[in-house]
Amino acid sequence: MKVNGKPYRSIWLAPDGERVEIIDQTRLPHEFHVAVLATLDDAARAIRDMQVRGAPLIGATAAYGVCLGLRDGAADRDMERIGAVLTACRPTAVNLRWAVERMRSVLLPLPEEERLAAAYREAAAICDEDVAVNEAIGNHGLQLIEEAWERKGRQGPVRILTHCNAGWLATVDWGTALAPVYKAHEKGIPVFVWVDETRPRSQGAGLTAWELQAQGIEHRLIVDNAGGHLMQRGLVDLCIVGTDRTTATGDVCNKIGTYLKALAARDNGVPFYVALPGSTIDWRLHDGIREIPIEERGQEEVLLVRGKTESGALETVRIAPDATPAANPAFDVTPALLVDGLITERGICPASREGLARLYPEMA
Ligand code: MRU
């Protein structure tokens, strides 16, 4: 995607061919800053502190984190330590484990002296594949937007509600939930996006709104509690969200608040779709509510809000009494029965064991 007319990915290899550069997402939307990752610790910190976030991008960063770690030693025990450091960074997005396991399976059979170069090749392949996979998700999801437009008699824009940021910033490029929106826009189908603010970290306000504005897509920011009301009023044609982990049975785990949107969508007959690459499917799990680990983040994310003052300064303010504690579960699980379909790189399927098995027979 382009930023000020210049094409960017969310992560890339630095010109020295060793270090890695990322767009620091903690500084958006107010500052566009490229951060350099030079060590395993830099990569782990970037994932933990959410300079990079979104399941596919966490996976891509972990792959490059393995490369950075291997620069200090490539023995089997180094591989173990590097994998352990990276997988401990965030517990919910399964792409983290997926990427580390893929790197291990490629690198461990190789002699030690060949591992570093092979790691860089594999990390680059993971990034390139992510871009292709997300573009395919966009092409498949486009069909849903076209159908919605036909249902409206081609009158007015297709109004899509999304939660959190599952756009290009959450992946290497294109995004998952937003990829169909970008494809529709490219094709000249009018689209309009309701952007959930996504408290507490405001990925909707800070990232999705920034992305959509940069691509010239009409959108409006709403507070997280507005979606149900808008659906009751007939102002939402389609919901599309992402997922950090999908069970073999089609339950999806996404940013906290997604479940409430799915409930409201079902109550109001609004189609609710989830966009995902195959790498977010955890084939070992069958019951999302019981089995998916939910990340609990620090309470300061709920108690403190950061923003730009009218004078242009960036400031942090407390929004609750000093002594008030907060809870901060970062994800929730939407059961498959509330999901109208899964948009994958291999096509759209029902959110069910059978639906996923049809698209991924080799995994099921
Ligand atoms: O905590 P975050 O910002 O990493 O959460 C991201 C999401 O919830 C996304 O919707 C999900 O990773 C899918 S990204 C294509």
Side-chain angles (χ1 to χ4, degrees), residues 35-88:
V36 179
L37 310 180
T39 63
L40 169 65
D41 283 350
D42 287 348
R45 193 175 324 108
I47 296 171
R48 239 187 347 259
D49 295 350
M50 295 176 65
Q51 287 179 298
V52 290
R53 27 67 52 202
L57 178 57
I58 291 172
T61 309
Y64 273 121
V66 170
C67 304
L68 296 173
L70 288 177
R71 290 167 69 201
D72 297 325
D76 286 9
R77 64 174 182 285
D78 297 313
M79 296 277 303
E80 289 308 321
R81 185 182 50 84
I82 293 165
V85 167
L86 289 165
T87 46

Side-chain angles (χ1 to χ4, degrees), residues 161 194 196 226-239 260-272:
L161 183 141
W194 292 112
D196 278 355
H229 164 75
L230 296 173
M231 292 187 220
Q232 280 179 332
R233 293 281 163 107
L235 296 171
V236 181
D237 300 310
L238 185 63
C239 295
L260 290 177
K261 296 299 137 65
L263 283 172
R266 181 55 54 91
D267 192 41
N268 291 285
V270 176
F272 186 90

Side-chain angles (χ1 to χ4, degrees), residues 186-232:
E186 238 177 44
K187 204 171 168 189
I189 299 172
V191 278
F192 169 94
V193 183
W194 292 112
V195 179
D196 278 355
E197 177 188 21
T198 319
R199 280 277 292 146
R201 289 192 65 106
S202 305
Q203 290 94 329
L207 305 177
T208 300
W210 181 82
E211 264 194 56
L212 292 171
Q213 183 202 279
Q215 305 311 316
I217 293 177
E218 207 191 338
H219 62 282
R220 196 162 290 191
L221 183 65
I222 51 174
V223 296
D224 290 324
N225 293 329
H229 164 75
L230 296 173
M231 292 187 220
Q232 280 179 332

Side-chain angles (χ1 to χ4, degrees), residues 199 298-304 318-327:
R199 280 277 292 146
Q299 47 179 327
E300 68 285 354
E301 290 186 352
V302 177
L303 298 170
L304 306 177
R318 177 171 291 271
I319 58 166
D322 287 349
T324 296

